[in-house]
Amino acid sequence: MDNTIILPPGYDATITSGNNRDADLPAYSSLSSMGQVVPQNLTELSEGAPSKQFSYHISLKGNNSSASLVLYGNASLSKHSPAFLGGSRVNGLVKVNVESGESINAVVISIQGKIISGSKQHIFLEYTQTLWSSSSDYPKSDGRLQGEHNWPFKLHFPKEVTLTVGTKDAPRVEVFQLPQSFMERHAKASIQYEVIARFARGMLKTDHRIIAPFVYIPIIRPEPPSQLRSDAYERNTTIPGPIADPTGWHTLTPVQIQGKLFTRQATISCILSLALPLSYTRGSIIPLHLVIQSNDPQALETLSSPHAIICRLRRILRYYPDENKTVDPKLRREELEHSELATWWPFVEYPSLEESSFQRTLSGEIILSPELMPTTTIGRFQLEYSVVLFPFDANSFHSENNDILSDCAVEIATAFPPGPRQRTNVQTAIPDRLRHAFQ
């Protein structure tokens, strides 16, 4: 029996323009360890989609006695382990072939989702269904299971789970979306799902079990972009900036930067904007907009160079070992990683304004790795993202403060929003860039 749990599959960075509205989920990338291909239409992933069979076997008492668990994973998503999409169900079959009477009181199938950290685990999902019991009317011989028997089953995934969280003194009930399977070599915690077939044998006897890991992928879909942005994607025209499309951007608080350019003092201000909504599909991009202002023309030219702007996607993984205790900051398991740099290029929405002012405007984008784990919060496990603007990096300029300039929380989703697809300004650079994301 193969109990290996694999990494959840990632998605391809194929970003198309125009009116191609069939691709609801990004296609799988050849960079993924699984190397699968996802159908371009989400309807193909619904009930009735082609399935791939996975079988797990154990031997029972007797030379020719055995039990099997069969799972039917989605054919387009499954490779080494069955994979299931949010909102679908787990279809399967339990089979037994007992040559002589086997002392089995019940056959039970269950789904389990859990967070594992070291030797500890926290179960957040458990659903059980009895397929057969000795008290039922199913044929049996002298109270002992004998012969060949098949029990098909269908287990529905809840999209959400209700958990009691907090301390014993202040418990609270919260609703969480089921998280994607997650397992990274150096992460302090993982999220794993299993289907368990249990053959109950009564008191003082060890039950037979078949445990089959599977991959779960939730559907997290952003809201559509602004109408002006959608029109620009549809017509393949320039994306309007925050001035022309104020409802399409989230503009952060302006930041003042003091520093030295060579030997003289210089003051610079910058304003970072992110495209709304602040939810972005993995395998796509985060559109950015940056305004830099200074009364020092040389400082302005130096810091408006695309190579001087340091903006990244930050990922923070937090895991709290015990919610029933006050968490000591020293015991927090927090892991922080950054993606590669955003790409920038000049953007001039109003040429006359740009030429007559001490201002430079740039458009930018962060290309999202297709293998990103989506934003996740489930009990003690939190995986969050933010876009971070770091101090400028120019040899001739030295900032008086090295703190982060701007930080904006964002959501990473798994499905494309309605409407035309985003397009990238650096499509030809995508394959090379993705190889370095979060490595």
Side-chain angles (χ1 to χ4, degrees), residues 307-377:
H307 299 292
I309 305 168
I310 310 299
C311 186
R312 299 178 184 273
L313 179 71
R314 168 179 284 182
R315 189 187 86 168
I316 300 179
L317 172 61
R318 299 185 182 93
Y319 178 68
Y320 305 101
D322 193 340
E323 286 201 32
N324 290 320
K325 296 179 181 179
T326 301
V327 179
D328 184 335
K330 295 181 181 179
L331 299 178
R332 291 177 184 259
R333 300 186 178 186
E334 185 172 294
E335 302 167 23
L336 186 148
E337 295 180 357
H338 293 98
S339 74
E340 65 178 72
L341 292 169
T343 300
W344 299 93
W345 60 93
F347 175 85
V348 181
E349 195 164 18
Y350 297 99
S352 59
L353 177 63
E354 196 85 1
E355 293 173 1
S356 62
S357 67
F358 293 97
Q359 172 178 304
R360 295 294 179 268
T361 305
L362 299 100
S363 287
E365 61 188 28
I366 296 175
I367 295 181
L368 300 176
S369 168
E371 298 178 13
L372 286 180
M373 173 79 170
T375 300
T376 301
T377 299

Coordinates of all heavy atoms in Angstrom, one line a residue, residues 307-377:
H307 N 15.7 49.3 -11.7 CA 16.6 48.4 -10.9 C 16.8 48.9 -9.5 O 17.3 48.1 -8.7 CB 18.0 48.4 -11.6 CG 18.0 47.9 -13.0 ND1 17.7 46.5 -13.3 CD2 18.1 48.5 -14.2 CE1 17.7 46.4 -14.6 NE2 18.0 47.5 -15.2
A308 N 16.4 50.1 -9.2 CA 16.5 50.6 -7.8 C 15.3 50.3 -6.9 O 15.4 50.4 -5.7 CB 16.8 52.1 -7.8
I309 N 14.2 49.9 -7.5 CA 13.0 49.6 -6.8 C 12.9 48.2 -6.4 O 13.0 47.3 -7.2 CB 11.8 50.0 -7.7 CG1 11.9 51.4 -8.2 CG2 10.5 49.8 -6.9 CD1 10.9 51.7 -9.3
I310 N 12.8 48.0 -5.0 CA 12.8 46.6 -4.5 C 11.4 46.4 -3.9 O 11.0 46.8 -2.9 CB 13.8 46.5 -3.4 CG1 15.2 47.0 -3.8 CG2 13.9 45.0 -2.9 CD1 15.7 46.2 -5.0
C311 N 10.6 45.6 -4.7 CA 9.2 45.2 -4.3 C 9.0 43.8 -4.5 O 9.3 43.2 -5.5 CB 8.2 46.0 -5.1 SG 6.5 45.9 -4.6
R312 N 8.6 43.1 -3.4 CA 8.4 41.6 -3.5 C 7.1 41.2 -2.9 O 6.5 41.9 -2.1 CB 9.6 40.9 -2.7 CG 11.0 41.2 -3.2 CD 12.0 40.5 -2.3 NE 13.4 40.8 -2.7 CZ 14.1 40.1 -3.6 NH1 13.5 39.1 -4.2 NH2 15.3 40.5 -3.9
L313 N 6.7 39.9 -3.1 CA 5.6 39.3 -2.4 C 6.2 38.6 -1.2 O 7.2 37.8 -1.4 CB 4.9 38.3 -3.4 CG 3.8 37.5 -2.7 CD1 2.6 38.4 -2.5 CD2 3.3 36.3 -3.6
R314 N 5.7 38.8 -0.1 CA 6.1 38.2 1.2 C 5.1 37.1 1.6 O 3.9 37.3 1.6 CB 6.3 39.2 2.3 CG 6.5 38.6 3.7 CD 6.6 39.7 4.7 NE 8.0 40.3 4.7 CZ 8.4 41.2 5.5 NH1 7.6 41.7 6.4 NH2 9.7 41.7 5.4
R315 N 5.6 36.0 2.0 CA 4.8 34.9 2.5 C 5.2 34.7 4.0 O 6.3 34.5 4.3 CB 5.0 33.6 1.7 CG 4.0 32.5 2.1 CD 4.3 31.2 1.5 NE 5.3 30.4 2.2 CZ 5.6 29.1 2.0 NH1 4.9 28.5 1.0 NH2 6.4 28.5 2.7
I316 N 4.2 34.6 4.8 CA 4.4 34.4 6.3 C 3.6 33.1 6.6 O 2.3 33.1 6.5 CB 4.0 35.6 7.1 CG1 4.8 36.8 6.8 CG2 4.2 35.2 8.6 CD1 4.5 38.0 7.6
L317 N 4.2 32.1 7.2 CA 3.6 30.9 7.7 C 3.7 30.9 9.2 O 4.8 31.0 9.7 CB 4.2 29.6 7.1 CG 3.8 28.3 7.7 CD1 2.3 28.1 7.5 CD2 4.6 27.2 7.1
R318 N 2.5 30.9 9.8 CA 2.5 30.9 11.3 C 1.8 29.6 11.8 O 0.8 29.2 11.2 CB 1.7 32.1 11.8 CG 2.3 33.4 11.5 CD 1.5 34.6 12.2 NE 2.1 35.9 11.9 CZ 1.6 36.6 10.9 NH1 0.6 36.2 10.1 NH2 2.1 37.8 10.6
Y319 N 2.3 29.0 12.8 CA 1.7 27.9 13.4 C 1.8 28.0 14.9 O 2.9 28.1 15.5 CB 2.3 26.6 12.9 CG 1.6 25.4 13.6 CD1 0.3 25.0 13.3 CD2 2.3 24.6 14.5 CE1 -0.3 24.0 13.9 CE2 1.7 23.5 15.1 CZ 0.4 23.2 14.8 OH -0.3 22.2 15.5
Y320 N 0.7 28.0 15.6 CA 0.6 28.1 17.1 C 0.5 26.7 17.7 O -0.6 26.1 17.5 CB -0.5 29.0 17.5 CG -0.4 30.4 16.8 CD1 -1.2 30.7 15.8 CD2 0.5 31.3 17.3 CE1 -1.1 31.9 15.1 CE2 0.6 32.6 16.7 CZ -0.2 32.9 15.6 OH -0.1 34.1 15.0
P321 N 1.4 26.2 18.4 CA 1.4 24.8 18.8 C 0.2 24.5 19.7 O -0.4 23.4 19.7 CB 2.7 24.6 19.6 CG 3.6 25.7 19.1 CD 2.7 26.8 18.7
D322 N -0.2 25.4 20.6 CA -1.3 25.1 21.5 C -2.2 26.3 21.7 O -1.7 27.3 22.3 CB -0.7 24.6 22.9 CG -1.8 24.0 23.8 OD1 -3.0 24.3 23.5 OD2 -1.4 23.3 24.7
E323 N -3.4 26.3 21.3 CA -4.3 27.5 21.4 C -4.8 27.6 22.8 O -5.4 28.6 23.2 CB -5.5 27.3 20.4 CG -5.0 27.6 19.0 CD -6.2 28.0 18.1 OE1 -7.2 28.6 18.6 OE2 -6.2 27.7 17.0
N324 N -4.7 26.6 23.6 CA -5.2 26.7 25.0 C -4.2 27.3 26.0 O -4.4 27.3 27.2 CB -5.7 25.3 25.5 CG -6.9 24.8 24.8 OD1 -7.8 25.6 24.5 ND2 -7.0 23.6 24.4
K325 N -3.1 27.8 25.4 CA -2.2 28.5 26.3 C -1.8 29.8 25.7 O -1.9 30.1 24.5 CB -0.9 27.6 26.3 CG -1.1 26.3 27.0 CD 0.3 25.5 27.0 CE 0.1 24.1 27.7 NZ 1.4 23.4 27.7
T326 N -1.4 30.8 26.5 CA -1.0 32.0 26.0 C 0.3 31.8 25.3 O 1.3 31.2 25.7 CB -0.7 33.0 27.2 OG1 -1.9 33.2 28.0 CG2 -0.2 34.4 26.7
V327 N 0.3 32.3 24.0 CA 1.5 32.0 23.1 C 2.6 32.9 23.5 O 2.5 34.2 23.3 CB 1.0 32.2 21.7 CG1 2.2 31.9 20.7 CG2 -0.1 31.3 21.3
D328 N 3.7 32.3 23.9 CA 5.0 33.1 24.1 C 5.6 33.4 22.8 O 5.7 32.5 21.9 CB 5.9 32.2 24.9 CG 7.2 32.9 25.3 OD1 7.6 33.9 24.6 OD2 7.8 32.6 26.3
P329 N 5.9 34.7 22.5 CA 6.5 35.0 21.2 C 7.7 34.1 20.8 O 7.9 33.9 19.6 CB 6.9 36.5 21.4 CG 6.0 37.0 22.4 CD 5.7 35.8 23.4
K330 N 8.4 33.6 21.8 CA 9.6 32.8 21.5 C 9.2 31.4 21.0 O 9.9 30.8 20.3 CB 10.4 32.6 22.8 CG 11.0 33.9 23.3 CD 11.9 33.7 24.5 CE 12.5 35.0 25.0 NZ 13.3 34.7 26.3
L331 N 7.9 31.0 21.3 CA 7.4 29.7 20.9 C 6.7 29.8 19.5 O 6.3 28.7 19.0 CB 6.6 29.1 21.9 CG 7.2 28.9 23.3 CD1 6.2 28.3 24.3 CD2 8.4 28.0 23.2
R332 N 6.4 31.0 19.0 CA 5.7 31.1 17.7 C 6.5 30.5 16.6 O 7.7 30.8 16.5 CB 5.4 32.5 17.4 CG 4.4 33.2 18.4 CD 4.2 34.6 18.0 NE 3.3 35.3 18.9 CZ 2.0 35.5 18.7 NH1 1.5 35.2 17.5 NH2 1.3 36.1 19.5
R333 N 5.9 29.7 15.8 CA 6.6 29.1 14.7 C 6.2 29.9 13.5 O 5.2 29.7 12.8 CB 6.2 27.6 14.5 CG 6.6 26.8 15.7 CD 6.3 25.3 15.5 NE 6.7 24.5 16.6 CZ 6.7 23.2 16.6 NH1 6.3 22.5 15.6 NH2 7.1 22.5 17.7
E334 N 7.0 30.9 13.2 CA 6.7 31.8 12.1 C 7.9 31.7 11.0 O 9.0 31.9 11.4 CB 6.6 33.2 12.6 CG 6.2 34.3 11.6 CD 5.9 35.6 12.2 OE1 5.0 35.7 13.0 OE2 6.7 36.5 11.9
E335 N 7.5 31.5 9.8 CA 8.4 31.4 8.7 C 8.1 32.4 7.7 O 7.0 32.5 7.2 CB 8.4 29.9 8.1 CG 8.6 28.9 9.2 CD 8.3 27.5 8.6 OE1 8.2 27.3 7.4 OE2 8.0 26.6 9.5
L336 N 9.1 33.1 7.2 CA 9.0 34.2 6.3 C 9.8 34.0 5.1 O 11.0 33.6 5.2 CB 9.4 35.5 7.0 CG 9.1 36.8 6.3 CD1 8.8 37.9 7.3 CD2 10.4 37.2 5.5
E337 N 9.2 34.2 3.9 CA 9.9 34.0 2.6 C 9.5 35.2 1.7 O 8.4 35.7 1.8 CB 9.6 32.7 2.0 CG 10.1 31.5 2.8 CD 9.8 30.2 2.1 OE1 9.1 30.2 1.0 OE2 10.2 29.1 2.6
H338 N 10.3 35.5 0.7 CA 10.0 36.5 -0.3 C 10.2 35.9 -1.7 O 11.0 35.1 -1.9 CB 11.0 37.7 -0.1 CG 10.8 38.4 1.1 ND1 11.6 38.3 2.2 CD2 9.8 39.4 1.5 CE1 11.1 39.0 3.2 NE2 10.1 39.7 2.8
S339 N 9.3 36.4 -2.6 CA 9.5 36.0 -4.0 C 10.5 36.9 -4.6 O 11.2 37.7 -4.0 CB 8.1 36.3 -4.7 OG 7.9 37.6 -4.9
E340 N 10.7 36.7 -5.9 CA 11.7 37.6 -6.6 C 11.1 39.0 -6.8 O 10.0 39.3 -6.4 CB 12.1 36.9 -7.9 CG 10.9 36.9 -8.9 CD 11.3 36.3 -10.2 OE1 11.6 35.1 -10.3 OE2 11.4 37.1 -11.2
L341 N 11.9 39.8 -7.4 CA 11.6 41.2 -7.5 C 10.4 41.4 -8.5 O 10.3 40.7 -9.5 CB 12.8 42.0 -8.0 CG 14.0 42.1 -7.0 CD1 15.2 42.7 -7.8 CD2 13.6 43.0 -5.9
A342 N 9.7 42.5 -8.2 CA 8.7 43.0 -9.2 C 9.5 43.6 -10.4 O 10.6 44.0 -10.3 CB 7.8 44.1 -8.6
T343 N 8.8 43.6 -11.5 CA 9.4 44.2 -12.8 C 8.7 45.5 -13.0 O 7.5 45.7 -12.8 CB 9.1 43.3 -14.0 OG1 9.8 42.0 -13.8 CG2 9.7 43.9 -15.2
W344 N 9.5 46.6 -13.4 CA 9.0 47.9 -13.5 C 9.3 48.5 -14.9 O 10.3 48.1 -15.5 CB 9.6 48.8 -12.5 CG 9.2 48.4 -11.1 CD1 10.0 47.6 -10.2 CD2 8.1 48.8 -10.3 NE1 9.3 47.5 -9.0 CE2 8.2 48.2 -9.1 CE3 6.9 49.6 -10.6 CZ2 7.2 48.3 -8.1 CZ3 6.0 49.7 -9.6 CH2 6.1 49.1 -8.4
W345 N 8.5 49.4 -15.4 CA 8.7 50.1 -16.6 C 8.0 51.5 -16.5 O 7.0 51.6 -15.8 CB 8.2 49.3 -17.8 CG 6.7 49.0 -17.8 CD1 5.7 49.7 -18.4 CD2 6.1 47.9 -17.1 NE1 4.5 49.1 -18.1 CE2 4.7 48.0 -17.4 CE3 6.6 46.8 -16.4 CZ2 3.8 47.1 -16.9 CZ3 5.7 45.9 -15.9 CH2 4.3 46.0 -16.1
P346 N 8.5 52.5 -17.3 CA 7.9 53.8 -17.2 C 6.4 53.8 -17.6 O 6.0 53.1 -18.6 CB 8.7 54.6 -18.2 CG 10.0 53.9 -18.4 CD 9.6 52.4 -18.2
F347 N 5.6 54.6 -16.9 CA 4.2 54.7 -17.2 C 3.9 56.2 -17.2 O 4.1 56.9 -16.2 CB 3.3 54.0 -16.2 CG 1.9 54.2 -16.4 CD1 1.1 53.4 -17.2 CD2 1.2 55.2 -15.7 CE1 -0.2 53.6 -17.4 CE2 -0.2 55.4 -15.8 CZ -0.9 54.6 -16.7
V348 N 3.4 56.7 -18.3 CA 3.0 58.2 -18.4 C 1.5 58.3 -18.8 O 1.2 58.0 -19.9 CB 3.9 58.9 -19.4 CG1 3.5 60.4 -19.5 CG2 5.4 58.7 -19.1
E349 N 0.7 58.5 -17.8 CA -0.7 58.7 -18.0 C -1.1 60.0 -18.6 O -1.9 60.2 -19.5 CB -1.5 58.4 -16.7 CG -3.0 58.1 -17.0 CD -3.6 57.5 -15.7 OE1 -3.0 57.6 -14.6 OE2 -4.7 56.9 -15.9
Y350 N -0.4 61.1 -18.1 CA -0.6 62.4 -18.5 C 0.8 63.1 -18.8 O 1.4 63.6 -17.8 CB -1.4 63.2 -17.5 CG -2.8 62.7 -17.3 CD1 -3.1 61.9 -16.2 CD2 -3.8 63.0 -18.2 CE1 -4.4 61.4 -16.0 CE2 -5.1 62.6 -18.0 CZ -5.4 61.7 -16.9 OH -6.6 61.3 -16.8
P351 N 1.3 63.0 -20.0 CA 2.7 63.5 -20.3 C 3.0 64.9 -19.8 O 4.0 65.2 -19.3 CB 2.8 63.3 -21.8 CG 1.7 62.3 -22.2 CD 0.6 62.5 -21.2
S352 N 2.0 65.8 -20.0 CA 2.3 67.2 -19.6 C 2.5 67.3 -18.1 O 3.4 68.1 -17.7 CB 1.1 68.1 -20.0 OG -0.1 67.6 -19.4
L353 N 1.8 66.5 -17.3 CA 2.0 66.6 -15.9 C 3.3 66.0 -15.5 O 4.0 66.5 -14.6 CB 0.8 65.8 -15.2 CG 0.9 65.6 -13.7 CD1 0.8 67.0 -13.0 CD2 -0.2 64.7 -13.1
E354 N 3.7 64.9 -16.1 CA 5.0 64.3 -15.8 C 6.2 65.2 -16.2 O 7.1 65.2 -15.4 CB 5.1 63.0 -16.6 CG 6.1 62.0 -16.1 CD 5.7 61.1 -15.0 OE1 4.5 61.3 -14.6 OE2 6.5 60.3 -14.5
E355 N 6.1 65.9 -17.3 CA 7.2 66.7 -17.7 C 7.3 68.0 -16.9 O 8.4 68.5 -16.7 CB 7.0 67.1 -19.2 CG 7.1 65.9 -20.1 CD 6.8 66.2 -21.6 OE1 6.5 67.4 -21.8 OE2 6.8 65.3 -22.4
S356 N 6.2 68.5 -16.4 CA 6.2 69.8 -15.7 C 6.4 69.6 -14.2 O 6.5 70.6 -13.5 CB 5.0 70.6 -15.9 OG 3.8 69.8 -15.5
S357 N 6.4 68.4 -13.7 CA 6.6 68.2 -12.2 C 7.8 67.4 -11.9 O 8.4 66.8 -12.8 CB 5.3 67.5 -11.7 OG 5.3 66.2 -12.2
F358 N 8.2 67.4 -10.7 CA 9.3 66.6 -10.2 C 8.8 65.2 -9.8 O 8.8 64.9 -8.6 CB 10.0 67.3 -9.0 CG 10.7 68.6 -9.4 CD1 10.1 69.8 -9.2 CD2 12.0 68.6 -10.0 CE1 10.7 71.0 -9.6 CE2 12.6 69.7 -10.3 CZ 12.0 71.0 -10.1
Q359 N 8.3 64.5 -10.8 CA 7.6 63.2 -10.6 C 7.9 62.2 -11.7 O 8.1 62.6 -12.8 CB 6.1 63.5 -10.5 CG 5.3 62.3 -10.5 CD 3.8 62.6 -10.3 OE1 3.4 63.3 -9.4 NE2 3.0 62.1 -11.3
R360 N 8.0 61.0 -11.2 CA 8.2 59.9 -12.2 C 7.2 58.8 -11.8 O 7.0 58.5 -10.6 CB 9.6 59.3 -12.2 CG 10.7 60.2 -12.7 CD 10.5 60.6 -14.2 NE 11.5 61.5 -14.6 CZ 11.4 62.8 -14.6 NH1 10.2 63.4 -14.2 NH2 12.3 63.6 -15.1
T361 N 6.5 58.2 -12.8 CA 5.5 57.2 -12.6 C 5.9 55.9 -13.3 O 6.3 56.0 -14.4 CB 4.1 57.7 -13.1 OG1 3.8 59.0 -12.5 CG2 3.0 56.7 -12.8
L362 N 5.7 54.8 -12.6 CA 6.1 53.5 -13.2 C 4.9 52.5 -13.0 O 4.2 52.6 -12.0 CB 7.3 53.0 -12.5 CG 8.6 53.8 -12.7 CD1 8.9 54.6 -11.4 CD2 9.8 52.9 -13.0
S363 N 4.8 51.6 -13.9 CA 3.9 50.5 -13.8 C 4.8 49.3 -13.4 O 6.0 49.2 -13.8 CB 3.2 50.2 -15.1 OG 2.1 51.1 -15.3
G364 N 4.2 48.3 -12.7 CA 5.0 47.2 -12.4 C 4.1 46.0 -12.2 O 2.9 46.1 -12.3
E365 N 4.7 44.8 -12.0 CA 4.0 43.6 -11.8 C 4.8 42.6 -11.1 O 6.1 42.5 -11.3 CB 3.4 43.0 -13.1 CG 4.5 42.6 -14.1 CD 3.9 42.2 -15.4 OE1 2.8 42.7 -15.8 OE2 4.5 41.4 -16.1
I366 N 4.2 41.8 -10.2 CA 4.8 40.7 -9.6 C 4.2 39.4 -10.2 O 3.0 39.2 -10.2 CB 4.6 40.6 -8.1 CG1 5.3 41.9 -7.4 CG2 5.2 39.4 -7.4 CD1 5.0 42.0 -5.9
I367 N 5.1 38.6 -10.8 CA 4.6 37.4 -11.4 C 4.5 36.3 -10.3 O 5.5 36.0 -9.6 CB 5.5 36.9 -12.5 CG1 5.5 37.9 -13.7 CG2 5.1 35.5 -13.0 CD1 6.3 37.5 -14.9
L368 N 3.3 35.7 -10.2 CA 3.1 34.8 -9.1 C 3.4 33.4 -9.5 O 3.0 32.9 -10.6 CB 1.6 34.8 -8.7 CG 1.1 36.2 -8.2 CD1 -0.4 36.2 -7.9 CD2 1.9 36.6 -6.9
S369 N 4.2 32.7 -8.7 CA 4.5 31.3 -9.0 C 3.3 30.5 -9.1 O 2.3 30.6 -8.3 CB 5.4 30.8 -7.9 OG 5.5 29.3 -8.0
P370 N 3.2 29.6 -10.1 CA 2.0 28.7 -10.2 C 1.9 27.7 -9.1 O 0.9 27.1 -8.9 CB 2.2 28.0 -11.5 CG 3.7 28.0 -11.7 CD 4.2 29.3 -11.1
E371 N 2.9 27.6 -8.3 CA 2.9 26.6 -7.2 C 2.7 27.2 -5.8 O 2.9 26.5 -4.8 CB 4.2 25.8 -7.2 CG 4.4 25.0 -8.5 CD 5.7 24.3 -8.6 OE1 6.4 24.1 -7.6 OE2 6.1 23.8 -9.7
L372 N 2.2 28.4 -5.8 CA 2.0 29.1 -4.5 C 0.8 28.4 -3.8 O -0.2 28.0 -4.4 CB 1.6 30.5 -4.7 CG 2.7 31.5 -5.1 CD1 2.0 32.9 -5.2 CD2 3.7 31.6 -4.0
M373 N 1.0 28.2 -2.5 CA -0.1 27.8 -1.6 C -1.1 29.0 -1.5 O -0.6 30.1 -1.3 CB 0.5 27.4 -0.3 CG -0.6 27.1 0.8 SD -1.2 25.4 0.6 CE -2.2 25.4 2.2
P374 N -2.4 28.7 -1.7 CA -3.3 29.9 -1.5 C -3.3 30.4 -0.1 O -2.9 29.7 0.9 CB -4.6 29.3 -1.9 CG -4.5 27.8 -1.7 CD -3.1 27.5 -2.0
T375 N -3.8 31.6 0.1 CA -3.9 32.1 1.5 C -4.8 31.2 2.3 O -5.9 30.7 1.9 CB -4.6 33.5 1.4 OG1 -3.8 34.4 0.6 CG2 -4.8 34.1 2.8
T376 N -4.3 30.9 3.5 CA -5.0 29.9 4.3 C -5.0 30.3 5.8 O -4.0 30.7 6.3 CB -4.2 28.5 4.2 OG1 -4.2 28.1 2.8 CG2 -4.9 27.4 5.0
T377 N -6.2 30.1 6.4 CA -6.3 30.2 7.8 C -7.2 29.1 8.3 O -8.4 29.0 7.9 CB -6.9 31.6 8.3 OG1 -6.1 32.6 7.8 CG2 -7.1 31.6 9.8

